[in-house]
Amino acid sequence: MAAGLFEGQYVWHPAADDRELASVCVEVRAGRYLSAYELLVETREDAGLRAHRSLVLASEAADSDLAERWLAEEPTPEAALVWARVAVLRALRAADARDERGRALERIALNACERATVMAPYDPTPWVARLSLARLHEIREPAPQGLLTAPPGPWQLFSHILRLDPFHREGHHRFLAYFFVRHGGSVNAAWDVAAFLGQRAPAVSPLRLLPLVALVESYDPSRLLADRVWEQPQWRSTALAIYQNWLPAVSGYRFTPVLDLAYLAHALVMGQREFEARAVLMAMGPYASRMPWSVFGDPEEQLSRARRACGLPVPGAA
């Protein structure tokens, strides 16, 4: 992984420094899918990369008929996966917009996920796509032992994903999102699940960031001293442990894990650990994600504010 030098402008595209993915996104926007097939075939043995690339490609294809045409003309596991991703995105957009077509789109998405799982039974990605839909319903499956609040949820589906890939990054994030307040959950349940999942992950895993994700989700600017929460010993120690154990491993990554780095940099800046945050921001290079910054205001302004606090350059600075 080489993020590259900061050249004065942020790069917001989710492909970041995965240049192959960025190039294929251009092809997808032009209505061509052959390069997308070739890109995804390479990921059959890398579940994390397959999940990331398929999601980015689906976001590019969701407003066109490319996924449908691809599946009709070349019914491969990659075509079925992208179609499942696209169908899920459309269903979630409709549900969030309270579109009357939401239920119909959800049925289409569930069928698409089922087809993708049949065509690639050992690929966790279609199951993760299906897990994304869980937040549309209240699922009351009992939690395993070890959680203080024992929050019910889609534990069986999540367990199946874990059997395919015990530390699937997106699978963990999708499952945690089910318990967010904005999806009908609670702050305590989200914290409990995040701590439970984070603690079972290796110290060098980005899943250790899950409690910091839950902390951002619980942010309430109306609460007294809301911005000082990250200065509390438990959150500082959490961020510093991730900095010490996970950040050194990032140099060996194939591509820059921008979103994970952003959550860590944010927590360190909010915890007034600018020295450590500077190293994290430098590892990000010019690449930027809207989360977690958008929770606190305009994401570019918030990211620039964090960089200034760490003595790093920002776009437009004299």
Side-chain angles (χ1 to χ4, degrees):
M1 186 281 294
L5 296 176
F6 183 83
E7 298 179 352
Q9 296 296 327
Y10 298 126
V11 178
W12 295 95
H13 196 282
D17 53 351
D18 185 344
R19 293 183 175 83
E20 291 179 272
L21 176 57
S23 176
V24 172
C25 284
V26 175
E27 293 289 302
V28 167
R29 286 195 295 272
R32 297 185 288 269
Y33 59 76
L34 178 58
S35 59
Y37 167 73
E38 294 171 345
L39 186 75
L40 289 177
V41 164
E42 297 175 2
T43 69
R44 287 185 177 180
E45 303 301 321
D46 188 334
L49 186 60
R50 188 173 180 85
H52 173 66
R53 283 180 166 177
S54 63
L55 183 60
V56 173
L57 292 175
S59 69
E60 298 286 355
D63 295 323
S64 72
D65 68 346
L66 179 137
E68 294 94 319
R69 284 194 295 105
W70 182 3
L71 187 60
E73 295 169 9
E74 301 285 345
T76 62
E78 286 66 38
L81 174 59
V82 172
W83 166 234
R85 288 291 214 176
V86 165
V88 167
L89 283 174
R90 291 174 180 169
L92 292 175
R93 288 178 184 176
D96 291 342
R98 301 188 182 279
D99 190 313
E100 61 183 10
R101 299 170 298 170
R103 288 295 178 89
L105 289 173
E106 183 186 356
R107 288 193 295 271
I108 292 171
L110 288 170
N111 288 334
C113 290
E114 177 66 22
R115 179 170 183 174
T117 62
V118 170
M119 295 185 73
Y122 298 107
D123 180 7
T125 322
W127 296 98
V128 172
R130 183 174 178 178
L131 181 59
S132 305
L133 297 168
R135 67 176 176 84
L136 302 182
H137 303 280
E138 186 178 13
I139 300 174
R140 307 293 298 177
E141 295 165 3
Q145 294 182 347
L147 287 92
L148 294 175
T149 61
W155 290 97
Q156 292 182 24
L157 178 54
F158 183 56
S159 295
H160 182 77
I161 294 169
L162 296 185
R163 286 193 291 272
L164 295 173
D165 185 348
F167 302 110
H168 195 282
R169 183 196 174 281
E170 187 188 344
H172 281 73
H173 280 265
R174 295 292 184 189
F175 184 68
L176 175 60
Y178 175 87
F179 300 95
F180 290 165
V181 172
R182 58 190 167 101
H183 295 156
S186 69
V187 169
N188 288 337
W191 278 351
D192 197 8
V193 170
F196 177 75
L197 298 180
Q199 289 168 3
R200 63 180 292 276
V204 295
S205 170
L207 296 179
R208 290 281 178 155
L209 285 152
L210 289 172
L212 299 182
V213 174
L215 185 59
V216 169
E217 281 292 327
S218 70
Y219 176 70
D220 181 357
S222 66
R223 293 178 59 187
L224 184 64
L225 302 177
D227 290 341
R228 305 293 295 272
V229 172
W230 284 263
E231 299 175 31
Q232 295 177 6
Q234 71 176 102
W235 298 116
R236 269 186 176 165
S237 62
T238 297
L240 288 171
I242 297 166
Y243 168 82
Q244 293 163 359
N245 295 313
W246 173 67
L247 184 64
V250 170
S251 62
Y253 279 35
R254 187 174 173 184
F255 304 110
T256 306
V258 180
L259 184 58
D260 291 328
L261 287 168
Y263 272 100
L264 179 55
H266 171 265
L268 290 168
V269 170
M270 295 293 281
Q272 297 186 354
R273 300 297 303 229
E274 288 83 2
F275 175 82
E276 291 85 357
R278 178 186 176 93
V280 179
L281 290 166
M282 289 178 67
M284 289 171 61
Y287 305 107
S289 62
R290 286 173 172 76
M291 287 293 286
W293 316 107
S294 60
V295 172
F296 304 86
D298 177 81
E300 183 166 353
E301 290 179 2
Q302 293 296 314
L303 176 54
S304 293
R305 179 180 177 185
R307 290 183 66 90
R308 288 192 193 95
C310 297
L312 293 172
V314 300

Short mmCIF file of all heavy atoms in Angstrom, two decimals, residues 15-37:
data_model
loop_
_atom_site.label_atom_id
_atom_site.label_comp_id
_atom_site.label_asym_id
_atom_site.label_seq_id
_atom_site.Cartn_x
_atom_site.Cartn_y
_atom_site.Cartn_z
N ALA A 15 -12.83 4.32 -4.83
CA ALA A 15 -11.78 3.44 -5.34
C ALA A 15 -10.42 3.81 -4.77
O ALA A 15 -9.51 2.97 -4.72
CB ALA A 15 -11.73 3.50 -6.87
N ALA A 16 -10.26 5.05 -4.30
CA ALA A 16 -9.00 5.53 -3.73
C ALA A 16 -7.83 5.18 -4.65
O ALA A 16 -7.90 5.48 -5.84
CB ALA A 16 -8.81 4.99 -2.32
N ASP A 17 -6.80 4.52 -4.13
CA ASP A 17 -5.64 4.22 -4.96
C ASP A 17 -5.71 2.84 -5.62
O ASP A 17 -4.69 2.33 -6.11
CB ASP A 17 -4.34 4.36 -4.16
CG ASP A 17 -4.34 3.55 -2.87
OD1 ASP A 17 -5.41 3.02 -2.51
OD2 ASP A 17 -3.28 3.47 -2.23
N ASP A 18 -6.88 2.24 -5.67
CA ASP A 18 -7.10 1.04 -6.47
C ASP A 18 -7.37 1.52 -7.90
O ASP A 18 -8.51 1.70 -8.32
CB ASP A 18 -8.30 0.26 -5.92
CG ASP A 18 -8.50 -1.08 -6.63
OD1 ASP A 18 -7.94 -1.27 -7.72
OD2 ASP A 18 -9.25 -1.92 -6.09
N ARG A 19 -6.29 1.71 -8.65
CA ARG A 19 -6.41 2.32 -9.98
C ARG A 19 -7.18 1.44 -10.96
O ARG A 19 -7.87 1.94 -11.84
CB ARG A 19 -5.02 2.67 -10.51
CG ARG A 19 -4.35 3.78 -9.72
CD ARG A 19 -2.99 4.16 -10.32
NE ARG A 19 -2.42 5.30 -9.61
CZ ARG A 19 -1.74 5.23 -8.48
NH1 ARG A 19 -1.55 4.05 -7.91
NH2 ARG A 19 -1.24 6.31 -7.90
N GLU A 20 -7.03 0.14 -10.80
CA GLU A 20 -7.80 -0.77 -11.66
C GLU A 20 -9.29 -0.58 -11.44
O GLU A 20 -10.07 -0.51 -12.40
CB GLU A 20 -7.40 -2.22 -11.38
CG GLU A 20 -6.02 -2.61 -11.81
CD GLU A 20 -5.74 -4.06 -11.44
OE1 GLU A 20 -5.28 -4.31 -10.31
OE2 GLU A 20 -6.00 -4.94 -12.28
N LEU A 21 -9.69 -0.50 -10.19
CA LEU A 21 -11.10 -0.29 -9.88
C LEU A 21 -11.59 1.04 -10.41
O LEU A 21 -12.68 1.13 -10.99
CB LEU A 21 -11.31 -0.38 -8.37
CG LEU A 21 -12.72 -0.10 -7.85
CD1 LEU A 21 -13.74 -1.04 -8.47
CD2 LEU A 21 -12.75 -0.21 -6.32
N ALA A 22 -10.81 2.09 -10.23
CA ALA A 22 -11.21 3.41 -10.72
C ALA A 22 -11.39 3.39 -12.22
O ALA A 22 -12.34 3.99 -12.77
CB ALA A 22 -10.16 4.45 -10.32
N SER A 23 -10.50 2.69 -12.93
CA SER A 23 -10.60 2.61 -14.39
C SER A 23 -11.85 1.84 -14.81
O SER A 23 -12.56 2.25 -15.75
CB SER A 23 -9.35 1.92 -14.95
OG SER A 23 -9.45 1.75 -16.34
N VAL A 24 -12.14 0.76 -14.11
CA VAL A 24 -13.32 -0.05 -14.45
C VAL A 24 -14.60 0.73 -14.14
O VAL A 24 -15.61 0.58 -14.85
CB VAL A 24 -13.29 -1.39 -13.70
CG1 VAL A 24 -14.60 -2.15 -13.88
CG2 VAL A 24 -12.12 -2.23 -14.20
N CYS A 25 -14.59 1.58 -13.14
CA CYS A 25 -15.76 2.41 -12.85
C CYS A 25 -16.12 3.28 -14.06
O CYS A 25 -17.30 3.48 -14.36
CB CYS A 25 -15.50 3.29 -11.63
SG CYS A 25 -15.59 2.41 -10.05
N VAL A 26 -15.11 3.76 -14.74
CA VAL A 26 -15.34 4.56 -15.96
C VAL A 26 -16.02 3.69 -17.02
O VAL A 26 -16.97 4.13 -17.69
CB VAL A 26 -14.02 5.14 -16.49
CG1 VAL A 26 -14.25 5.86 -17.82
CG2 VAL A 26 -13.40 6.08 -15.48
N GLU A 27 -15.56 2.45 -17.16
CA GLU A 27 -16.16 1.53 -18.13
C GLU A 27 -17.62 1.24 -17.77
O GLU A 27 -18.49 1.19 -18.64
CB GLU A 27 -15.36 0.23 -18.16
CG GLU A 27 -13.97 0.35 -18.72
CD GLU A 27 -13.98 0.60 -20.21
OE1 GLU A 27 -14.55 -0.22 -20.94
OE2 GLU A 27 -13.45 1.65 -20.64
N VAL A 28 -17.88 1.04 -16.50
CA VAL A 28 -19.25 0.75 -16.05
C VAL A 28 -20.17 1.93 -16.32
O VAL A 28 -21.30 1.76 -16.80
CB VAL A 28 -19.25 0.36 -14.56
CG1 VAL A 28 -20.67 0.35 -14.00
CG2 VAL A 28 -18.59 -0.99 -14.37
N ARG A 29 -19.69 3.13 -16.04
CA ARG A 29 -20.51 4.31 -16.33
C ARG A 29 -20.81 4.45 -17.82
O ARG A 29 -21.84 5.01 -18.20
CB ARG A 29 -19.82 5.57 -15.80
CG ARG A 29 -19.85 5.72 -14.30
CD ARG A 29 -19.50 7.13 -13.86
NE ARG A 29 -18.12 7.47 -14.18
CZ ARG A 29 -17.08 7.25 -13.39
NH1 ARG A 29 -17.27 6.64 -12.23
NH2 ARG A 29 -15.87 7.61 -13.76
N ALA A 30 -19.93 3.92 -18.64
CA ALA A 30 -20.13 3.96 -20.09
C ALA A 30 -21.00 2.80 -20.58
O ALA A 30 -21.26 2.68 -21.78
CB ALA A 30 -18.78 3.93 -20.81
N GLY A 31 -21.42 1.93 -19.66
CA GLY A 31 -22.31 0.84 -20.02
C GLY A 31 -21.61 -0.44 -20.44
O GLY A 31 -22.24 -1.32 -21.03
N ARG A 32 -20.32 -0.59 -20.11
CA ARG A 32 -19.55 -1.77 -20.51
C ARG A 32 -19.19 -2.58 -19.26
O ARG A 32 -18.73 -2.02 -18.26
CB ARG A 32 -18.29 -1.37 -21.27
CG ARG A 32 -18.60 -0.66 -22.59
CD ARG A 32 -17.33 -0.38 -23.37
NE ARG A 32 -16.53 0.67 -22.77
CZ ARG A 32 -16.63 1.96 -23.08
NH1 ARG A 32 -17.54 2.38 -23.96
NH2 ARG A 32 -15.84 2.85 -22.50
N TYR A 33 -19.36 -3.91 -19.34
CA TYR A 33 -19.16 -4.74 -18.16
C TYR A 33 -18.01 -5.75 -18.26
O TYR A 33 -17.67 -6.39 -17.27
CB TYR A 33 -20.44 -5.49 -17.79
CG TYR A 33 -20.99 -6.41 -18.87
CD1 TYR A 33 -20.39 -7.65 -19.13
CD2 TYR A 33 -22.12 -6.07 -19.60
CE1 TYR A 33 -20.90 -8.49 -20.10
CE2 TYR A 33 -22.64 -6.91 -20.57
CZ TYR A 33 -22.02 -8.12 -20.81
OH TYR A 33 -22.53 -8.96 -21.78
N LEU A 34 -17.39 -5.93 -19.41
CA LEU A 34 -16.34 -6.94 -19.55
C LEU A 34 -15.19 -6.70 -18.57
O LEU A 34 -14.71 -7.64 -17.92
CB LEU A 34 -15.80 -6.96 -20.98
CG LEU A 34 -14.66 -7.95 -21.24
CD1 LEU A 34 -15.11 -9.37 -20.90
CD2 LEU A 34 -14.17 -7.85 -22.68
N SER A 35 -14.75 -5.46 -18.45
CA SER A 35 -13.64 -5.17 -17.54
C SER A 35 -14.06 -5.40 -16.08
O SER A 35 -13.23 -5.79 -15.25
CB SER A 35 -13.14 -3.74 -17.74
OG SER A 35 -14.19 -2.80 -17.51
N ALA A 36 -15.33 -5.18 -15.76
CA ALA A 36 -15.82 -5.44 -14.40
C ALA A 36 -15.76 -6.94 -14.11
O ALA A 36 -15.39 -7.36 -13.00
CB ALA A 36 -17.24 -4.92 -14.25
N TYR A 37 -16.12 -7.75 -15.09
CA TYR A 37 -16.02 -9.19 -14.92
C TYR A 37 -14.58 -9.61 -14.65
O TYR A 37 -14.29 -10.37 -13.71
CB TYR A 37 -16.55 -9.90 -16.17
CG TYR A 37 -16.22 -11.37 -16.21
CD1 TYR A 37 -16.87 -12.28 -15.38
CD2 TYR A 37 -15.22 -11.85 -17.07
CE1 TYR A 37 -16.54 -13.62 -15.39
CE2 TYR A 37 -14.89 -13.19 -17.09
CZ TYR A 37 -15.56 -14.07 -16.25
OH TYR A 37 -15.22 -15.40 -16.27
#
